Every structure is written in C-alpha cells, then in structure tokens.
Amino acid sequence: MYFTYCLGNGPGDMYFWGGAPLAQGERGSMASLDSTLRKGPGPGPSGWRQPELPEVIAMLNYRLDPVRSNAAAFLQHLTYKNDKVKCDVRRLKGIPALVCMLDNPNKEVHYAACGALKNISYGKDQDNKIAIKNCDGVPALVRLLRKTRDQDLTDTITGTLWNLSSHDSVKMEIVDHALHALSDEVMVPHSGWERGTNGAGGEENCKPRHLEWETSLTNTAGCLRNVSSERSEARRKLRECTGLVDSLMYIVQSQIDFKEVDNKLIENSVCLLRNLSYQVHREIPGCERYQEAAPLNQGPAPSSQKGGCFSSRKSKGRKDEDAAADIIDIPKRTTPAKGYELLYQPEVVRIYTSLLKESKNPTVLEASAGAVQNLCAGRWTYGRYIRALLRQEKGLPMMTELLAHGNDRVVRAMSGALRNMAIDARNRDLLGKHAVPHLVANLPGGGQSQPVRALSEETVVSVLSTLHEVLGSSLEAAKTLRASQGIERLVLINKDGNRSEREVRGAGLVLQTVWGYKELRRTLEKDGWKKTDFMVNLNPPSNNTRANGGYEDSTLPLIDKGREAKGKRMHVKCAALQDAYSTLDQRGRRNTLDNTLEPADKDAVQVKKTGHMNTHFSHTHNPA
C-alpha cells in the first residue's frame, strides 16, 4: 500500500491511495482505513479521495512500515514551501511521531521522516525548530547520522541540523549532542585531511576527496558556523573537538589550491574559522603566556623603518632599509601545530591573503578580513607575528584596495582589520601614508568628482575609528588627510543634522586629533578653517578610555558581545566608536540556505515534485 499523487496545474492537484495489496495477515487492520478514504465517486481514480492532514499524521503511528514511510513522504511534499501546513503538522503533534521514526530500522521509514523534518525545520517559523528540539530531535538525528553510511541521507541529516542551528535556543543543544558526530562522521573522514598530515594543507599531491561529499560538508560547516556565534563555551568546545580545525584548514587550503574560492563550502568554512578566532588570544588554554605589555609611548615609527612596501616605487637608498625593517624573527616550532593552534599560526596569513586576492564572494572577503582582525587584536605574541607577516605578504595594500568594494560589509571588515593592523608602529606609518585617502573616500561628502557612497552607520563609524587610530601619532597622516579633502568631509558630518551621534562623535575625535598638531594649524587657518571647526563637543561617556592598542577582535553578534562583556567591560577609546571585534549580525548568525543563496541557486535545491510518492529519497532535494 503506498501513496501516489497526480500533479495538475494548480491548487486542484489530487492525492490518492494506490493499490499495492496488503499481506493477508494485515487486512483486518486496514479495513477502517479503506473505508475512511473511500468516499464513492471522487476526484481521484476509482473514487479514492485525498486524505486529510490529521489522517496522514495518524498514519505516522501505524504498525505497517510502508504506510508510515509513505505518510512521512506525503508530509514532506505537503510541507514544501507551505508554512501553514508546517504549523498544522506541529499543532497536530506530527513532529514527535516523525522524530520517533528516525530510530526505525527500516531505511524507507527513516529516510522519509528525515526528509519531512528537513522541510519542517526550514523557514521563518521558529516554533517548528523549538518543537523538534523539545522532543529530542537533535539526539535522534545524531543517532541516525552515526549509523548511516548513505551519502544522500547524510546530506539530509546535516541539512536538517543546519536549519535547526539558526535558532538561538537550539545552538547549544547541537554543540552538546551533535558536535562530535558531525566532526567524526562528516568533517574529518570526508574533508580529505588525514591525521598525521600538516592540518594546513596535507600532502601536496592529495586529491580533493571532499568534493564527493561537498553537500554534507557544506551543511555541516553551515551548522557549526551558526552555533559558533553563540558564546565562549561553544567556541571552546568547537576548538577542542579533535580534528575539526585541522579538517577546516585542509578544506580551505585545498579549495584555494584548486581555485574554488567562491562556493558555499568555503564561505561557511571561512566564516566558521573567523568565529573560532574570536577572542582566541583570551580563550585558549594557557593564553597568559602569550600576553605582551603595551609600550608606554607609541610614537611614530623610526625613520629607519619608514618605507614604501605599500608602494612599488622605492628609492634605491631605501630598499635595503625596508628589507631589514621587514625581517620577522619567528621562532621555529619543535612540533607541528594541530587543532586550535592552527587558528593562529603565522602560516595562516597566507590562507587569508590568498582569499582576499582571489575571492569575489563578498561573504568570503568579509570573513577573511574578520579573521585577520581577530588575530591582530590585543597585545599578544602571535598577534605581533601575524601583523608583521601580513605586511610582508602585502596584506595592507590588498585590504586598502578593498576599501573601494561595492559591498558595505566588506568595506567595514577591511576598515576594522586595518585598524587592528595599526597596532604595529610600522603598519601604522604605512597606513598613514597610503591608506588615508581610501578611508576618506568612504566618508559622507565629496563633490561631483567624488560621489557619496551610501554606506551604513556602522561602516562609517568603523572608518572614522580607523582614521583616528592612524592619525593619532602621525603628523604626515594628518597632512594626507587634509590633502584628501578629509577635513571637509569630517566637518560636514558634524554639521549635518542627519548624521548619528556615533558618527558625529567619531568625526569629532578625528578633527580634534588633527587640530592637536600645532605644526598644521597655520596651514589649516590659511585654508579658511577656524578653531571652532575642530572643537566639537563630544560629551563622551565616563567609561570611554583605553590605552592605544587595547584592540579587540571579531565575530559575535552585538547582542552576544554585550552578554559576554558583563563583568569585564571592554576598554574602548570612545564608546561611541565601534569596538575592534569583527561581528556577525543577526543575518550572519542565523544563516540557512534559504536566505543566503542567490535566486538562481535556490531553484536547484528545492523539492522536486515527482509523479510517484515513493520515489527514492535521494532524488528529492529539499531546502536546507
């Protein structure tokens, strides 16, 4: 006995029972079902009528596995792009029955149940996700994941977990119950990484074996990307999960090697790496031994260190000086790095610079810069190494050029990364010479030759914060700001009644810094500016001081950052300016396939309405 359905051209599609005969011993148990569905002449062949939803859900609890599997498959069809039916299934207690079916040994039963749960967990109705969690859906999915070796079923299980992970109340449930299974059954065995290789790339001649399992890997990385934004405990468990970071690094490096840097797998993987690098210098075991004291006086870089690694034009006399200044003394490791250590090893710089250079995906660019911002945050040993290596690997000009990117979030990420890069005195000097015009170009204002960019408040505040850091110890940078029409734009922000308080305060801080250079005042007055143009009443909050260089890193949603900051307030130079952690907003932390794919890509992952309800489940691709 199985469901079939005929598809018409609209709402009049008909669903009916088809005639596979029952075994003799079960005939009596189905007599009432037959009489319920038989209504005399009806829309379907032989007068069979469409079962009502309560009847379909009742069939989930039938003794016969074929009835249960086809009822679940029928629900999978009904819930496709239909939020009302999903709500009705939850209201009629269909979700617990589907979860129970995941433990059924019959392949067709747990296939169909998992497919229905994947559709039900997809969409804006968060109550469906909570309902699956409340009836222990996550542990049930994990048990099935541990048992199966079927690729299509693994795709469906990981897609369901990805959907569930977009709800905050389910994140830690997944971390506690599904993390090790996702790592052991998907990430480690199918990434191509092998224990004993150097987790940041493995053997050079190793084939990209993860491609066959790309859907499962993408789903898993997307799920872990979501849960890693929850809180420090989640990040700790992910970092310490055996083989997880190694596999991620391997996937990203192999994707770079094969010039595949814009797909969803690498996007989710790099976003996850960025999240795991959030506050890494404060959260890893034994972090105290890496902490360094900030210098008492952060003046401009010595003249012997000033050079043009931003620029290809170098005088012959300075080439040797620049090369000497860029020598980086990084002690060699006695043992290979593994696990969470791979997150902050200096070699990781080449991964992020490769992505910044090669990728066209705005989310990959944003995440790469966010990871750089995280790793360069704070006064710690590896942050110093990474800031220096980024300079050597031409990371400064890459990020400076990307300040002109058309995506607001990319511009903000580059600005935040450059701000943390400026902890290094040599970087700060180079940014003062070469990056200030690019930063100014992102401020409101300009004329016909410099059209205004429609950037968000967060991005403008980030740019102002970076300018404030770069100008804080460099007269030359202040001169460059003036030559780039930066004064006009800053004053305009302060006089424009439509700008936010944070933007006004940020512009005021930069203007006060410029006026603080006495050598520049006469030139400014000749330009027609008055002292009052630079003396902005900022009324800063009482907790607005921090030592220059007390930078932070990137990735959590603002709401979670506020939660973690309780009891240990971040010291920020001005509370009006954004802190130096790259953040995931609500869109980023609730990532699912439905709101991240382009419209053309969405069509490729929707349920295919076939002409027979018991078609093999692998042919039915659901929203993830």
Side-chain angles (χ1 to χ4, degrees), residues 301-581:
S303 58
S304 62
Q305 289 187 347
K306 295 179 180 179
C309 72
F310 244 85
S311 172
S312 60
R313 295 175 302 194
K314 294 183 180 180
S315 64
K316 291 184 179 180
R318 280 195 172 177
K319 284 184 178 179
D320 294 338
E321 291 179 356
D322 289 338
D326 281 329
I327 292 176
I328 307 164
D329 184 18
I330 301 176
K332 292 185 178 180
R333 294 183 60 93
T334 56
T335 58
K338 61 181 180 179
Y340 64 80
E341 295 174 331
L342 294 170
L343 293 169
Y344 52 82
Q345 294 307 300
E347 305 91 271
V348 81
V349 165
R350 293 184 179 89
I351 286 180
Y352 295 126
T353 53
S354 295
L355 293 172
L356 291 171
K357 181 179 180 181
E358 302 293 338
S359 180
K360 299 297 185 293
N361 183 333
T363 306
V364 173
L365 294 173
E366 178 193 357
S368 301
V372 167
Q373 183 176 346
N374 289 345
L375 297 172
C376 291
R379 289 283 174 182
W380 68 307
T381 303
Y382 284 99
R384 175 164 53 86
Y385 295 158
I386 288 169
R387 288 190 294 270
L389 268 177
L390 278 163
R391 180 176 68 247
Q392 188 179 64
E393 295 292 322
K394 311 302 181 185
L396 291 174
M398 286 182 198
M399 288 184 281
T400 298
E401 290 177 9
L402 284 166
L403 288 169
H405 197 278
N407 184 286
D408 178 271
R409 295 165 63 92
V410 171
V411 175
R412 189 189 319 162
M414 300 305 153
S415 173
L418 291 172
R419 180 186 178 205
N420 283 3
M421 288 285 289
I423 296 177
D424 184 301
R426 177 153 169 73
N427 288 344
R428 190 166 61 252
D429 179 58
L430 291 169
L431 290 170
K433 288 182 178 179
H434 303 287
V436 168
H438 300 270
L439 290 164
V440 169
N442 285 294
L443 296 177
Q448 293 181 349
S449 60
Q450 295 178 315
V452 179
R453 300 195 67 188
L455 298 176
S456 67
E457 174 193 342
E458 286 294 330
T459 300
V460 172
V461 169
S462 176
V463 169
L464 291 168
S465 180
T466 305
L467 279 171
H468 184 243
E469 297 297 337
V470 172
L471 268 62
S473 57
S474 174
L475 172 61
E476 293 303 315
K479 290 180 178 178
T480 304
L481 177 79
R482 168 185 168 270
S484 306
Q485 287 76 51
I487 306 297
E488 290 87 340
R489 297 197 183 205
L490 292 166
V491 172
L492 180 62
I493 291 174
N494 278 287
K495 292 183 178 180
D496 185 349
N498 294 322
R499 309 314 303 188
S500 71
E501 180 182 353
R502 297 174 67 218
E503 290 171 303
V504 171
R505 182 170 289 132
L509 281 170
V510 179
L511 287 169
Q512 287 188 355
T513 300
V514 172
W515 188 256
Y517 291 106
K518 295 181 180 179
E519 305 93 324
L520 199 56
R521 289 179 185 174
R522 180 169 295 181
T523 302
L524 293 171
E525 289 171 343
K526 286 183 179 179
D527 290 340
W529 302 111
K530 300 178 182 178
K531 180 179 180 179
T532 53
D533 293 322
F534 299 85
M535 298 297 104
V536 182
N537 182 20
L538 301 179
N539 295 320
S542 58
N543 59 348
N544 68 334
T545 58
R546 67 166 167 83
N548 188 23
Y551 292 68
E552 298 139 20
D553 47 345
S554 132
T555 289
L556 285 185
L558 296 176
I559 185 172
D560 286 339
K561 287 166 51 183
R563 183 187 310 153
E564 291 206 356
K566 290 180 180 178
K568 59 171 190 177
R569 175 67 63 182
M570 307 292 186
H571 295 294
V572 183
K573 179 170 287 184
C574 179
L577 298 184
Q578 95 171 18
D579 68 33
Y581 289 94

Side-chain angles (χ1 to χ4, degrees), residues 559-603:
I559 185 172
D560 286 339
K561 287 166 51 183
R563 183 187 310 153
E564 291 206 356
K566 290 180 180 178
K568 59 171 190 177
R569 175 67 63 182
M570 307 292 186
H571 295 294
V572 183
K573 179 170 287 184
C574 179
L577 298 184
Q578 95 171 18
D579 68 33
Y581 289 94
S582 166
T583 59
L584 277 177
D585 63 11
Q586 297 299 321
R587 179 180 71 88
R589 69 194 292 240
R590 291 176 180 162
N591 175 280
T592 54
L593 203 59
D594 56 340
N595 60 10
T596 57
L597 285 183
E598 294 298 324
D601 296 325
K602 287 185 181 182
D603 295 338

Side-chain angles (χ1 to χ4, degrees), residues 121-140:
S121 66
Y122 172 91
K124 298 179 180 179
D125 192 331
Q126 304 301 310
D127 290 339
N128 294 334
K129 298 176 174 64
I130 296 173
I132 295 173
K133 173 203 169 187
N134 289 345
C135 60
D136 293 329
V138 172

